[in-house]
Amino acid sequence: GFSPGSFTRRPPLEGAGNDILPNVKCAGDWVRMGEREHGAKGLCQERAFVSGFEAANSLMRVSADGFKEHEVLPVREDEWQFKLGVEINRE
Protein backbone atom coordinates (compact mmCIF):
# COMPACT_ATOMS: atom_id res chain seq x y z
CA GLY A 1 0.00 0.00 0.00
CA PHE A 2 0.85 3.65 -0.05
CA SER A 3 1.24 5.38 3.27
CA PRO A 4 1.24 9.11 4.07
CA GLY A 5 4.39 10.72 2.68
CA SER A 6 4.84 8.09 -0.06
CA PHE A 7 3.63 10.30 -2.92
CA THR A 8 7.07 10.73 -4.51
CA ARG A 9 7.58 6.94 -4.62
CA ARG A 10 4.34 6.26 -6.47
CA PRO A 11 4.54 5.34 -10.18
CA PRO A 12 3.87 8.11 -12.72
CA LEU A 13 0.84 8.17 -15.03
CA GLU A 14 3.18 7.72 -18.03
CA GLY A 15 4.61 4.48 -16.59
CA ALA A 16 8.19 3.94 -17.76
CA GLY A 17 7.80 6.81 -20.26
CA ASN A 18 6.80 7.24 -23.89
CA ASP A 19 10.34 6.55 -25.11
CA ILE A 20 10.58 3.21 -23.28
CA LEU A 21 7.07 1.69 -23.14
CA PRO A 22 4.71 4.02 -25.04
CA ASN A 23 1.72 1.65 -24.75
CA VAL A 24 1.89 1.24 -20.95
CA LYS A 25 0.17 3.79 -18.72
CA CYS A 26 -0.79 3.75 -15.04
CA ALA A 27 -4.17 4.81 -13.68
CA GLY A 28 -5.71 4.90 -10.24
CA ASP A 29 -5.74 7.06 -7.15
CA TRP A 30 -2.18 5.91 -6.37
CA VAL A 31 -0.36 7.35 -9.43
CA ARG A 32 1.52 10.64 -9.80
CA MET A 33 -0.08 12.67 -12.58
CA GLY A 34 2.60 15.33 -13.08
CA GLU A 35 1.23 18.48 -14.72
CA ARG A 36 -2.18 16.85 -14.82
CA GLU A 37 -2.54 16.52 -11.01
CA HIS A 38 -6.21 16.66 -10.16
CA GLY A 39 -7.53 17.47 -6.72
CA ALA A 40 -6.15 15.85 -3.60
CA LYS A 41 -2.94 13.85 -3.81
CA GLY A 42 -4.44 11.32 -1.41
CA LEU A 43 -6.46 8.25 -2.20
CA CYS A 44 -9.94 9.05 -3.56
CA GLN A 45 -12.44 7.84 -6.15
CA GLU A 46 -12.46 11.09 -8.10
CA ARG A 47 -8.70 10.98 -8.55
CA ALA A 48 -8.91 7.36 -9.74
CA PHE A 49 -11.65 8.26 -12.21
CA VAL A 50 -9.79 11.27 -13.65
CA SER A 51 -6.48 9.39 -13.90
CA GLY A 52 -8.25 6.79 -16.05
CA PHE A 53 -9.26 9.48 -18.56
CA GLU A 54 -5.77 10.99 -18.46
CA ALA A 55 -4.14 7.58 -19.02
CA ALA A 56 -6.50 6.85 -21.93
CA ASN A 57 -5.80 10.28 -23.47
CA SER A 58 -2.06 9.71 -23.12
CA LEU A 59 -2.25 6.24 -24.66
CA MET A 60 -4.35 7.40 -27.60
CA ARG A 61 -2.05 10.40 -28.22
CA VAL A 62 0.85 8.04 -28.97
CA SER A 63 -1.14 5.39 -30.84
CA ALA A 64 -4.06 6.91 -32.75
CA ASP A 65 -4.06 9.58 -35.47
CA GLY A 66 -6.83 12.15 -35.28
CA PHE A 67 -7.81 11.23 -31.75
CA LYS A 68 -9.91 13.82 -29.89
CA GLU A 69 -8.94 13.88 -26.22
CA HIS A 70 -11.56 13.57 -23.51
CA GLU A 71 -11.64 16.95 -21.77
CA VAL A 72 -10.86 16.87 -18.06
CA LEU A 73 -12.14 19.93 -16.26
CA PRO A 74 -9.73 21.49 -13.77
CA VAL A 75 -10.54 21.50 -10.09
CA ARG A 76 -11.97 24.84 -9.07
CA GLU A 77 -10.23 26.98 -6.49
CA ASP A 78 -11.30 26.42 -2.88
CA GLU A 79 -14.05 28.74 -1.66
CA TRP A 80 -13.18 31.52 0.81
CA GLN A 81 -14.88 29.83 3.77
CA PHE A 82 -12.88 26.65 3.24
CA LYS A 83 -9.63 28.63 3.02
CA LEU A 84 -10.58 30.44 6.24
CA GLY A 85 -11.19 27.12 8.02
CA VAL A 86 -7.78 25.84 6.90
CA GLU A 87 -6.07 28.98 8.22
CA ILE A 88 -7.89 28.78 11.57
CA ASN A 89 -6.88 25.15 11.99
CA ARG A 90 -3.21 25.92 11.30
CA GLU A 91 -3.02 28.15 14.36
Side-chain angles (χ1 to χ4, degrees):
F2 294 98
S3 59
S6 67
F7 182 76
T8 58
R9 295 188 307 269
R10 296 179 187 183
L13 180 92
E14 297 293 341
N18 288 332
D19 296 332
I20 299 169
L21 294 170
N23 294 333
V24 176
K25 308 297 176 193
C26 296
D29 58 356
W30 50 278
V31 301
R32 287 180 289 128
M33 296 170 58
E35 295 175 358
R36 294 173 286 211
E37 279 301 334
H38 191 84
K41 290 183 176 63
L43 307 175
C44 65
Q45 291 176 336
E46 293 81 4
R47 182 179 171 74
F49 182 78
V50 168
S51 73
F53 282 119
E54 293 289 8
N57 283 340
S58 179
L59 179 61
M60 295 305 289
R61 251 188 254 111
V62 298
S63 59
D65 291 331
F67 169 70
K68 182 179 182 300
E69 288 191 17
H70 181 82
E71 180 182 7
V72 177
L73 300 176
V75 176
R76 69 178 188 203
E77 184 178 347
D78 291 332
E79 297 174 343
W80 70 267
Q81 62 271 32
F82 179 82
K83 290 179 181 179
L84 178 63
V86 169
E87 281 302 313
I88 291 171
N89 284 311
R90 284 187 184 165
E91 296 175 5

